């Protein structure tokens, strides 16, 4: 069909769900346990306990805990964490590049009187005003790389509370977290693949 030129003052590209998730650009980001959308978390299920009772039966009857590493501190990360903590069988390790929670996007929900109470809860957990046994914040940290065995190497600011999820105690430069799922939720960019190259869009 012939091209049409429509004069206008501006163009709004509302691509919605077809946007392209941003990536960290680190080693191992292509591995299957690393996702760039909010993952589907299966409900925690208990392994049937063997007959005979005892400690072995009690351990087997407990629900399996899934370790989820969430990277990012925006609304998608907040949604993901809230969903995971509701599940009850998911342990969340929250990696936030900014060391100050007040400088993240979730800070706009710092007022408890706002209608989005779940975001306020996540922000309070980040800031340390609340404590959840299944949530560990790693502020001022960034992902160094993902390994094939499910380990996530996280660089910088390892707090004393965070050392319990790694290999070894005390503060150090790099922390290793064994993850079942990683959700990298650091924003997105518009998908402009439908625009013709040379049109001044993404194609140059």
């Amino acid at each position: 069909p012939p091209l049409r030129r429509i004069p206008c003052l501006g163009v709004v590209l509302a691509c919605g769900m077809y946007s392209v998730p941003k990536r960290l650009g680190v080693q191992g980001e292509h591995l299957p346990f690393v996702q760039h959308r909010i993952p589907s978390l299966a409900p925690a299920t208990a392994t049937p306990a063997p007959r005979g009772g005892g400690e072995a039966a009690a351990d087997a009857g407990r629900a399996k805990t899934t370790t989820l590493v969430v990277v990012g501190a925006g609304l998608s990360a907040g949604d993901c964490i809230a969903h995971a903590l509701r599940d009850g069988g998911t342990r969340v390790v929250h990696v936030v590049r900014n060391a100050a929670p007040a400088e993240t996007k979730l800070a706009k929900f710092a007022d408890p009187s706002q209608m989005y109470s779940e975001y306020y809860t996540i922000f309070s957990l980040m800031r340390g005003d609340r404590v959840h046994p299944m949530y560990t914040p790693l502020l001022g940290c960034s992902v160094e790389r993902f390994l094939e065995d499910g380990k996530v190497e996280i660089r910088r600011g390892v707090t004393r509370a965070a050392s319990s999820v790694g290999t070894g105690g005390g503060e150090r430069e790099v922390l290793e977290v064994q993850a079942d799922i990683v959700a990298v939720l650091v924003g997105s960019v518009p998908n402009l693949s439908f625009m013709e190259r040379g049109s001044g869009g993404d194609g140059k």
Side-chain angles (χ1 to χ4, degrees), residues 83-131:
H83 171 64
L85 294 181
R86 278 197 305 267
D87 170 64
T90 302
R91 180 188 192 190
V92 177
V93 179
H94 189 192
V95 180
V96 182
R97 182 177 58 183
N98 203 315
E103 297 178 8
T104 65
K105 290 184 178 179
L106 286 172
K108 67 176 68 174
F109 301 98
D111 184 355
S113 65
Q114 294 193 29
M115 61 184 296
Y116 300 103
S117 59
E118 289 186 334
Y119 294 141
Y120 170 72
T121 299
I122 303 304
F123 179 75
S124 299
L125 289 170
M126 287 173 55
R127 198 166 54 180
D129 298 336
R130 298 187 182 189
V131 176

Side-chain angles (χ1 to χ4, degrees), residues 3 5 19 52-53 56 72 81 84 96 121 127 136 145 147 156 163 168 194 199:
L3 294 177
R5 296 183 179 274
S19 58
I81 293 168
V96 182
T121 299
R127 198 166 54 180
T136 300
R145 61 175 177 166
L147 303 179
R156 288 183 58 221
S163 66
F194 60 89
S199 63

Side-chain angles (χ1 to χ4, degrees), residues 32-204:
F33 68 93
V34 181
Q35 303 183 28
H36 296 83
R37 307 274 186 187
I38 296 178
S40 297
L41 300 172
T45 55
T47 303
R51 296 179 179 179
E55 292 185 5
D59 291 340
R62 294 193 184 100
K64 180 184 181 298
T65 299
T66 298
T67 298
L68 168 68
V69 174
V70 178
V71 183
L75 301 188
S76 293
D79 288 337
C80 182
I81 293 168
H83 171 64
L85 294 181
R86 278 197 305 267
D87 170 64
T90 302
R91 180 188 192 190
V92 177
V93 179
H94 189 192
V95 180
V96 182
R97 182 177 58 183
N98 203 315
E103 297 178 8
T104 65
K105 290 184 178 179
L106 286 172
K108 67 176 68 174
F109 301 98
D111 184 355
S113 65
Q114 294 193 29
M115 61 184 296
Y116 300 103
S117 59
E118 289 186 334
Y119 294 141
Y120 170 72
T121 299
I122 303 304
F123 179 75
S124 299
L125 289 170
M126 287 173 55
R127 198 166 54 180
D129 298 336
R130 298 187 182 189
V131 176
H132 193 291
M134 301 293 278
Y135 175 86
T136 300
L138 298 181
L139 302 177
C141 296
S142 59
V143 173
E144 185 76 5
R145 61 175 177 166
F146 302 103
L147 303 179
E148 292 186 1
D149 60 359
K151 288 188 176 66
V152 183
E153 289 189 357
I154 300 169
R155 180 168 294 279
R156 288 183 58 221
V158 180
T159 64
R160 185 173 302 175
S163 66
S164 63
V165 301
T167 55
E171 295 191 359
R172 59 185 192 174
E173 191 71 14
V174 176
L175 172 72
E176 280 189 355
V177 176
Q178 184 69 51
D180 295 296
I181 308 172
V182 176
V184 178
L185 303 170
V186 292
S188 60
V189 294
N191 181 1
L192 304 182
S193 60
F194 60 89
M195 296 184 68
E196 182 182 1
R197 284 187 173 272
S199 63
D202 69 330
K204 299 180 182 179

